[in-house]
Amino acid sequence: MANVGLLFVGAVLFLNGIMLLGKVDARSAAVFNLFVGALQVLTPTYLIFTAGSDPHKILLASGPYLFGFTYLYVGIGLLMGLDTTGVGYYSLFVAVAALGYSYVNFRLFHDYAFGAIWLYWAFLWFLFFLLLGLKMEGLTRYVGWVTAIEGWVTGVIPAGLLLAGYWRPEHNQQIGIALGIFAVVVFTALWPVTRPPGQATRTARRAGGTTAAGAH
């Protein structure tokens, strides 16, 4: 059941990413955020009620609430035209909590793949804080691309492999390492190509001015 929820988390992240890139109308994206937000609240509630007081199962089921409330918050905010500051600062809370869930997956469950995936989510929600909470609008294209890519890498692909039975626990550590390398290479490479043209020009001018000053 949780794997089905993960599949639709990937879908809503992809949709929100292309919304940030200006390809999808915000109000139409809001409706799907509400659908997935409701799913990500109902699913962990069911899993917790059926966990039989197993603390590990309850811990694992509690994580999706962080994202379910995000999508509900975003969906309602887009439909009602609310200021984004609230969801931005909530995203900071999610980013910090995601670091904790990552640590638990690494140390308690020895699940290196999902430990890495929680780090992806911590990074993404911190970007949401910068964009929506601190209004750093120059990050919009970068955050859009990161969001869309994470939709596939942390949601759709893992969920598809888990649902089809191709996610092998014996490859857990290798998957975690591969995810880490992918994140560093791709998200670092995205930064210079997604910066606003004006920002790149100002950076070049500052560099040129520094060089000229040094020549004198």
Side-chain angles (χ1 to χ4, degrees):
M1 190 170 185
N3 296 334
V4 175
L6 184 62
L7 177 67
F8 285 97
V9 165
V12 76
L13 286 178
F14 174 69
L15 184 66
N16 287 344
I18 59 177
M19 176 189 70
L20 288 171
L21 295 172
K23 305 298 183 182
V24 172
D25 176 72
R27 290 176 64 85
S28 63
V31 176
F32 193 64
N33 273 270
L34 295 177
F35 290 157
V36 178
L39 178 66
Q40 289 298 96
V41 170
L42 294 174
T43 298
T45 300
Y46 169 81
L47 293 174
I48 288 172
F49 273 113
T50 58
S53 300
D54 185 324
H56 288 174
K57 289 182 179 179
I58 293 173
L59 175 61
L60 286 172
S62 65
Y65 282 120
L66 295 169
F67 310 119
F69 291 134
T70 300
Y71 305 133
L72 290 174
Y73 204 160
V74 168
I76 293 169
L78 290 174
L79 288 175
M80 297 184 65
L82 302 178
D83 179 78
T84 62
T85 308
V87 72
Y89 276 87
Y90 173 69
S91 296
L92 177 62
F93 167 80
V94 174
V96 174
L99 292 176
Y101 280 93
S102 175
Y103 178 82
V104 165
N105 275 272
F106 279 124
R107 295 300 300 271
L108 182 60
F109 301 123
H110 304 289
D111 189 339
Y112 302 101
F114 271 89
I117 286 173
W118 275 101
L119 288 178
Y120 271 73
W121 290 333
F123 174 61
L124 180 58
W125 261 256
F126 182 71
L127 289 178
F128 290 154
F129 162 65
L130 297 179
L131 178 63
L132 304 175
L134 299 186
K135 310 289 189 179
M136 298 175 65
E137 296 181 0
L139 293 174
T140 301
R141 288 188 67 235
Y142 181 74
V143 178
W145 277 107
V146 172
T147 305
I149 291 169
E150 286 206 18
W152 291 93
V153 176
T154 69
V156 177
I157 294 173
L161 293 174
L162 285 162
L163 289 168
Y166 291 120
W167 188 273
R168 301 297 183 187
E170 61 268 24
H171 298 148
N172 194 286
Q173 190 168 2
Q174 293 91 327
I175 294 172
I177 293 170
L179 285 168
I181 294 171
F182 179 88
V184 171
V185 172
V186 173
F187 296 154
T188 301
L190 271 176
W191 173 244
V193 299
T194 56
R195 284 187 302 172
Q199 183 178 347
T201 303
R202 288 193 298 272
T203 301
R205 286 175 179 171
R206 285 197 298 269
T210 302
T211 303
H216 293 291

